[in-house]
Amino acid sequence: MAKSYKELMNDITTFIFDVDGVLTDSSVVVTTAGEILRTMNIRDGYAMKAAVENGYNVCVISGGSNEGVRVRLRNLGITDIHLGTPDKVETFKEYVELYNIKPEQVLYMGDDIPDYHVMKLVGLPTCPQDACPEIKAISKYISHKNGGKAAARDVIEQVMKVHGKWMTHFDGAHD
């Protein structure tokens, strides 16, 4: 019998997130100068920082390349940031090899077709509520939250609760 997503969470040591549609709501604001602006959720940021502080691996793999996104993620303590990635599978394989991570230890959250092949390789593929149908079909957990609306927080919090680490890190600081 296949394990439930909650049982699979026991093995998770690593979170990998896409950016657009996962950490953002897929919308962009384009300025008259052509600059593209994104909105990221503060609750996702808090959870990502908490995961880093509790020893989880947190990685971002995105086809988009925005330096503002890189700065935001670095400020949360995330060091494995792969933006402008043409081949997410290759980047994933290099990442897990570098840190000696087993695929079954990885929770990946994606929302659209560019995430499909890498999500097939991980132990716990997840997606936001508003992901495309093909991604929902291969996800072992579909968040009740939309992308950019605390979907990343949802999965991080659940994993940390399963491991007994949620709220144990709280020191009153903000992200």
Side-chain angles (χ1 to χ4, degrees):
M1 185 173 172
K3 287 184 176 182
S4 72
Y5 79 89
K6 282 285 193 186
E7 291 172 311
L8 293 170
M9 287 181 172
N10 284 312
D11 299 328
I12 300 303
T13 63
T14 304
F15 298 98
I16 301 178
F17 297 100
D18 177 34
V19 174
D20 293 319
V22 172
L23 299 179
T24 76
D25 68 1
S26 297
S27 298
V28 294
V29 176
V30 182
T31 67
T32 55
E35 185 179 7
I36 295 176
L37 306 175
R38 291 166 173 83
T39 302
M40 299 179 91
N41 189 285
I42 204 80
R43 290 188 179 116
D44 284 343
Y46 176 80
M48 293 169 80
K49 185 174 183 180
V52 169
E53 290 173 353
N54 275 271
Y56 292 91
N57 304 306
V58 180
C59 175
V60 171
I61 302 175
S62 176
S65 56
N66 179 289
E67 284 309 304
V69 169
R70 187 183 308 277
V71 169
R72 168 72 176 146
L73 295 172
R74 279 191 183 141
N75 287 340
L76 298 174
I78 299 167
T79 56
D80 293 296
I81 305 166
H82 305 274
L83 303 180
T85 303
D87 185 345
K88 290 185 178 191
V89 168
E90 181 182 330
T91 301
F92 167 76
K93 287 180 177 178
E94 290 170 1
Y95 175 74
V96 295
E97 185 177 328
L98 177 66
Y99 292 103
N100 196 28
I101 300 166
K102 296 176 182 149
E104 59 268 21
Q105 296 174 306
V106 177
L107 179 153
Y108 185 104
M109 181 172 267
D111 72 303
D112 208 349
I113 302 303
D115 300 304
Y116 185 89
H117 293 293
V118 70
M119 288 178 69
K120 297 283 282 182
L121 301 176
V122 304
L124 185 49
T126 66
C127 69
Q129 177 61 44
D130 58 346
C132 76
E134 295 85 353
I135 294 301
K136 284 182 168 184
I138 62 167
S139 292
K140 293 182 181 173
Y141 174 73
I142 300 171
S143 176
H144 62 284
K145 302 283 190 178
N146 285 343
K149 304 296 181 191
R153 160 72 175 255
D154 175 31
V155 293
I156 291 170
E157 183 177 333
Q158 285 193 61
V159 169
M160 290 181 71
K161 282 180 176 177
V162 164
H163 295 172
K165 294 183 177 182
W166 187 251
M167 293 295 293
T168 60
H169 66 281
F170 183 73
D171 63 4
H174 299 276
D175 66 4

